[in-house]
Amino acid sequence: MFEQQYKRANDRIHPRKDLLKEMEAKWAEEQAHQEEEESKVVAFPAWAKYVGMAAGVLLCVGLGMGSVLLYSRSRGMQSKSASAAAEAPQMAESMVAMEEAKIVTATTADAAVNETEAQGVAPAEAMLAASPYEAPKGMHRAADEAEVEDALHYGFADRGEAEDSVEAEMDAPQAKAAAKAVEADYPVGQILTRDELMVVFLPTTDQVRVIQYANRRVNLVFSLGLRERGAKVEQLFWIGSEMLALREHAGDTELMRFDVTDWKAPKHRKNLTQSGTFLGAGELDGRLYVLSLYKATDQEPRPWVNGERIDFADVLLDGERPGDVYTVLTVYDPAQGEFVSQTALLLEAQGAEAMGDKLFLWTGAEAALYAFTMGEEGLTLTAERALPGAVAEAAAGDSGLTLLLQTGDGATLLTMDGELNETSSVAAQAGSIRCGQVFEDGAAFLTDSELYWLSPAGDRALEVTGDGLRRLSEDKLLVFSADGKMQLVSLAEDALKALGAADVRNDMALLLEDPSRMDYDPATRRLVFPAGQRVYQYRIDEAGEMALWGTPLIFADHNETEQRELRCRVTAEGTLVFYKSGVHVCNQILERQLTTKY
Amino acid sequence: MEERIRPTAAATVPLELDALYEAYADMIYRLALVRTRNRADAEDVLQDVFFRCLRRQPHFRDREHQKAWLITAAINSSKSLLGRADRRHGVGPEALEFLSTEDDTDNSVYNAVMQLPEKYRTAVHLFYYEGYSVEEIGKMTETNPSTVKSHLHRAREALRKVLKEDEPDV
């Protein structure tokens, strides 16, 4: 009886359907990487062989010995390719820069942990030992001869200096081992921070990792798996003492609640659900607004919340418009632990913005805009209007709602108050919007050939091509393009003015895919971003000139996947923090550079 | 598909990911889930085992040999995952909430097994579900057969107790 029941229960368990596809993609990636590595390793011995043969033909003992020496040196370099040797002068500069900045890549951390392993300490114990306040034992070792040779080859003046540099890197501080301990193999999604805690969401596995960052060290506080078959986590929030995860589960939207009063032991509280696919969510005044889209069926004509149909009284626009798609809006109050308001609107919203007690919703199909007041009794429709174009970008601020619209003949910036009265409108004959951003004081967008700035004062344009933009300060805008160029533009002039430009000549596409990889510190006017294998630091002077700051830091041992996962941040204390796969790869102070260079 | 993974007397058996997956994914996933009690971890173990097999291309005598190799690899992989620092900190009782299967019928036994200590769960699963003998389980888990026997005995006792408690009063 027991066996049969256990067997039946097991027979129903299967891995999720898309897992094979994910694994195939990863395997293909691993194989491609391996092939690339193999081709590098093979190339050098072949070359050395020819040198050896030539030496043999010449029957020159001295030359033969030279080639043997050269060959053994190449063996010392192991898998570092011949192309790396060709880049030696550049690498030398970078190594010096890394040494100055005390930047140590993940490889060094690996070496440290592996060394601990070699000394008979289990890796897991080594990782645990690497707690933020306790140095792991046995992490220091003498410089290895081959590594010193490498360091010499990369340009250190003498053997003593090279040995010092290798030992300095190997004498890994605890932070590196701690970073290793919390490493994951998946890219980072959302990151929430508060004080010294950081919540990292890994969308590939639906895992949430809470990392503590204190005293320049990192430590994994908690890791929580949110994966369930048929479910996908969409967004995380951290309100008061609750961590809230919104996910789509079997076509409905679910709010998962975790009491994180004690971060080391989060408690899962009862989930709340509402019908329909997840549309969006936002936090306002300590409350969470959750929107979902529900398509009515004959069996279930009305949307529901927590299993109960929404009252007719709470369904707005019902019967007045055609359509069977509802936008369901709930308001969750963490203090009460439940939805305090639930409303359904018979319209298919495309986006929403909230401002004070106002909620704005717009549709895509008929391009209409609705304003609601959110009160204790729920939502009240206060205004509605048609829009002259589709909403490209939107932002709500103190002055009202600002929309960047793509119209038939160009773009329009509309600013409206809470009752949807137009306070300003700027139109530009600009063609199609490639990318744009809306701010409280205006909107910037790029077309195929121009950068536009639309504000209540009028519109201004500059002939600049680009694929992405970011506002660095009130009067400066950065435009970057996939061909590796960055251009700084001043918004302070009557006409937009190009200030400085920089040629990164690297994989800027990574930044375009994810602009959050770039960080700007207004205090030191430092612009930091990883592109390709390098981490660039630029400094913008008061006149707006943009100059490369120091030598790019090279993460030469990173493969392509890792490059795509690398991000960096400048912290308030001037530290550069690197994230890879959800953790800090390293965090080191660059004060020396700060003080010596500026 | 089946033909591609059938071992021959020849030393090397060519292995392909999709063939491995089709033949063994359910088996490895179920074992990994029993050991880790977490779906995401079980997926990690599944991937690790298959990738390890593909990288090493071990020589299998026959299909049974291959199956035993994969089970041992799954046990080792989940062991290292369970021993990882983040995992030690990370998995609490709330992870169990995500284990319920879609259909609630007949889950009481499964859930009761999942409440057992890890070594008992593995022994129960390999003995009752995979049908291995005590000696075979001993080899796979690097445990003395008499210890496996005692694990099974204690597991049965514990299950009897738990399932009795769960029975509704009549």
Side-chain angles (χ1 to χ4, degrees):
Chain A
M1 180 65 178
F2 150 76
E3 292 168 49
Q4 291 307 317
Q5 279 193 14
Y6 183 68
K7 233 177 162 107
R8 276 201 298 272
N10 260 293
D11 286 344
R12 288 198 304 270
I13 296 171
H14 306 279
R16 65 192 156 86
K17 282 177 186 164
D18 52 348
L19 185 62
L20 176 60
K21 272 189 183 170
E22 274 178 30
M23 283 169 62
E24 280 175 335
K26 274 192 185 170
W27 180 242
E29 201 173 275
E30 186 180 315
Q31 278 187 312
H33 179 61
Q34 199 180 337
E35 276 169 23
E36 194 184 313
E37 287 296 308
E38 278 170 5
S39 68
K40 285 178 188 171
V41 173
V42 168
F44 208 88
W47 169 81
K49 193 173 139 190
Y50 290 127
V51 172
M53 282 169 67
V57 171
L58 288 170
L59 293 172
C60 172
V61 176
L63 187 60
M65 283 176 70
S67 69
V68 168
L69 279 171
L70 198 58
Y71 180 72
S72 47
R73 188 169 183 174
S74 77
R75 289 290 298 269
M77 287 175 70
Q78 293 177 342
S79 63
K80 287 192 176 78
S81 66
S83 65
E87 285 179 2
Q90 195 181 4
M91 287 288 285
E93 264 185 72
S94 307
M95 284 293 285
V96 174
M98 285 171 79
E99 171 56 17
E100 270 182 17
K102 292 273 183 275
I103 293 292
V104 183
T105 67
T107 307
T108 318
D110 287 353
V113 174
N114 290 341
E115 178 66 14
T116 322
E117 250 178 275
Q119 291 182 5
V121 184
E125 285 168 18
M127 290 169 184
L128 271 182
S131 68
Y133 306 110
E134 195 181 338
K137 288 169 188 166
M139 297 284 280
H140 181 87
R141 63 187 170 119
D144 180 76
E145 188 57 27
E147 285 168 275
V148 175
E149 284 294 328
D150 270 3
L152 274 169
H153 180 73
Y154 284 139
F156 282 96
D158 59 43
R159 176 165 286 273
E161 198 183 331
E163 276 178 2
D164 286 350
S165 87
V166 172
E167 283 190 0
E169 289 208 356
M170 285 191 305
D171 191 9
Q174 302 88 312
K176 282 174 246 162
K180 176 73 184 170
V182 292
E183 195 163 336
D185 296 330
Y186 304 109
V188 183
Q190 210 180 334
I191 297 177
L192 305 174
T193 51
R194 184 188 288 184
D195 303 327
E196 59 186 27
L197 283 174
M198 182 169 77
V199 180
V200 178
F201 176 55
L202 307 175
T204 317
T205 52
D206 280 356
Q207 272 186 318
V208 173
R209 297 190 167 198
V210 178
I211 294 167
Q212 187 185 36
Y213 174 82
N215 301 330
R216 300 176 199 165
R217 292 168 186 176
V218 290
N219 184 36
L220 181 78
V221 180
F222 198 84
S223 173
L224 186 66
L226 303 178
R227 173 162 291 176
E228 190 175 4
R229 195 187 299 173
K232 179 87 195 81
V233 175
E234 303 280 351
Q235 220 173 337
L236 280 183
F237 288 90
W238 184 354
I239 305 177
S241 61
E242 279 198 338
M243 183 179 78
L244 303 163
L246 281 153
R247 67 176 188 179
E248 244 183 66
H249 190 194
D252 294 316
T253 299
E254 198 167 38
L255 176 67
M256 302 177 80
R257 303 155 59 221
F258 297 90
D259 176 1
V260 288
T261 314
D262 176 8
W263 268 106
K264 286 181 183 164
K267 292 184 189 77
H268 181 209
R269 289 174 170 166
K270 195 182 164 195
N271 292 349
L272 304 177
T273 51
Q274 68 188 61
S275 58
T277 53
F278 178 73
L279 175 67
E283 183 194 345
L284 195 66
D285 296 334
R287 288 176 164 191
L288 185 71
Y289 295 83
V290 185
L291 288 154
S292 62
L293 287 179
Y294 177 72
K295 188 169 169 50
T297 61
D298 291 341
Q299 292 77 28
E300 195 53 71
R302 250 190 299 153
W304 49 264
V305 171
N306 286 335
E308 287 187 20
R309 283 182 183 174
I310 291 179
D311 283 347
F312 270 121
D314 292 327
V315 179
L316 298 181
L317 310 180
D318 200 1
E320 292 173 20
R321 280 158 208 282
D324 56 358
V325 178
Y326 289 86
T327 300
V328 184
L329 171 77
T330 53
V331 181
Y332 172 72
D333 186 354
Q336 298 183 43
E338 57 185 31
F339 289 133
V340 290
S341 165
Q342 51 199 46
T343 314
L345 312 148
L346 188 59
L347 59 88
E348 187 173 354
Q350 188 197 35
E353 283 284 339
M355 177 192 84
D357 66 340
K358 290 283 179 195
L359 177 79
F360 304 100
L361 285 181
W362 58 89
T363 56
E366 293 170 12
L369 182 67
Y370 304 87
F372 301 87
T373 305
M374 299 181 285
E376 288 300 320
E377 65 287 351
L379 284 186
T380 312
L381 179 68
T382 54
E384 63 175 287
R385 60 172 286 173
L387 292 172
V391 178
E393 297 288 334
D398 294 339
S399 57
L401 179 71
T402 309
L403 296 174
L404 178 62
L405 305 171
Q406 175 74 66
T407 56
D409 54 356
T412 296
L413 184 77
L414 268 184
T415 308
M416 284 158 288
D417 64 12
E419 300 306 318
L420 303 188
N421 299 313
E422 206 167 294
T423 52
S424 79
S425 171
V426 189
Q429 304 294 316
S432 121
I433 299 171
R434 286 178 77 163
C435 67
Q437 264 186 294
V438 176
F439 311 96
E440 271 199 56
D441 55 340
F445 67 94
L446 284 158
T447 64
D448 284 341
S449 58
E450 281 174 309
L451 167 71
Y452 277 84
W453 173 253
L454 303 186
S455 72
D459 66 297
R460 288 177 277 159
L462 185 70
E463 232 174 82
V464 169
T465 52
D467 302 275
L469 51 87
R470 177 162 170 165
R471 194 169 183 186
L472 296 184
S473 62
E474 201 177 307
D475 61 344
K476 286 188 185 65
L477 195 68
L478 188 69
V479 177
F480 37 94
S481 54
D483 61 358
K485 289 185 171 57
M486 291 194 301
Q487 192 149 5
L488 194 67
V489 174
S490 167
L491 301 174
E493 314 297 325
D494 291 338
L496 296 186
K497 186 180 165 191
L499 293 173
D503 201 347
V504 181
R505 287 181 191 159
N506 215 306
D507 194 0
M508 187 68 93
L510 292 175
L511 258 188
L512 297 173
E513 277 172 23
D514 180 5
S516 69
R517 295 161 68 94
M518 172 180 277
D519 197 25
Y520 178 67
D521 176 30
T524 51
R525 297 193 299 279
R526 283 163 74 193
L527 190 67
V528 185
F529 60 92
Q533 284 186 317
R534 292 172 170 78
V535 175
Y536 292 88
Q537 293 190 81
Y538 282 84
R539 190 174 182 272
I540 298 166
D541 68 16
E542 290 190 2
E545 282 302 319
M546 189 161 35
L548 185 66
W549 183 14
T551 315
L553 307 168
I554 295 188
F555 284 77
D557 59 325
H558 280 205
N559 61 35
E560 197 191 339
T561 316
E562 287 170 326
Q563 289 162 30
R564 287 181 179 277
E565 292 165 8
L566 188 68
R567 297 168 179 214
C568 50
R569 289 274 176 278
V570 186
T571 67
E573 56 180 351
T575 308
L576 256 192
V577 181
F578 295 89
Y579 306 97
K580 187 194 80 179
S581 305
V583 297
H584 300 59
V585 172
C586 54
N587 48 81
Q588 296 294 334
I589 294 285
L590 294 181
E591 282 156 353
R592 188 138 58 121
Q593 284 201 6
L594 272 172
T595 49
T596 53
K597 296 225 171 197
Y598 296 100
Chain B
M1 190 69 77
E2 195 70 4
E3 287 304 311
R4 278 156 64 189
I5 58 160
R6 182 162 293 157
T8 64
T12 311
V13 181
L15 297 170
E16 303 266 336
L17 180 58
D18 53 353
L20 265 180
Y21 193 92
E22 188 174 313
Y24 298 113
D26 283 345
M27 177 192 78
I28 302 294
Y29 182 72
R30 286 165 192 159
L31 173 62
L33 190 59
V34 160
R35 286 178 62 81
T36 61
R37 303 196 291 186
N38 181 300
R39 287 180 190 273
D41 287 345
E43 286 180 4
D44 286 351
V45 170
L46 180 66
Q47 177 175 299
D48 183 44
V49 168
F50 284 170
F51 282 13
R52 212 180 277 192
C53 185
L54 292 169
R55 276 184 215 121
R56 292 189 188 174
Q57 295 279 311
H59 296 207
F60 295 121
R61 286 190 304 276
D62 51 31
R63 204 183 167 94
E64 268 309 306
H65 182 208
Q66 185 184 36
K67 188 178 167 188
W69 188 95
L70 290 168
I71 288 177
T72 310
I75 289 170
N76 290 335
S77 174
S78 51
K79 198 183 282 179
S80 60
L81 187 137
L82 290 167
R84 255 173 33 196
D86 55 342
R87 170 73 204 205
R88 283 185 193 183
H89 288 299
V91 174
E94 48 283 339
L96 293 174
E97 293 196 26
F98 309 119
L99 281 176
S100 59
T101 50
E102 283 79 2
D103 181 359
D104 279 343
T105 55
D106 285 346
N107 273 353
S108 56
V109 171
Y110 185 84
N111 288 336
V113 170
M114 293 301 249
Q115 303 299 325
L116 295 173
E118 185 269 308
K119 53 194 174 186
Y120 296 177
R121 295 198 303 271
T122 308
V124 164
H125 186 82
L126 292 176
F127 189 82
Y128 288 109
Y129 187 68
E130 295 296 344
Y132 281 106
S133 69
V134 167
E135 285 73 23
E136 286 168 326
I137 297 170
K139 272 185 196 167
M140 288 170 181
T141 55
E142 292 177 346
T143 316
N144 196 311
S146 58
T147 313
V148 176
K149 256 187 206 171
S150 108
H151 285 169
L152 282 171
H153 175 72
R154 285 182 196 157
R156 276 192 294 265
E157 288 295 311
L159 285 172
R160 200 167 291 139
K161 203 176 159 192
V162 171
L163 293 171
K164 211 171 182 181
E165 278 172 7
D166 283 353
E167 271 178 18
D169 294 332
V170 182

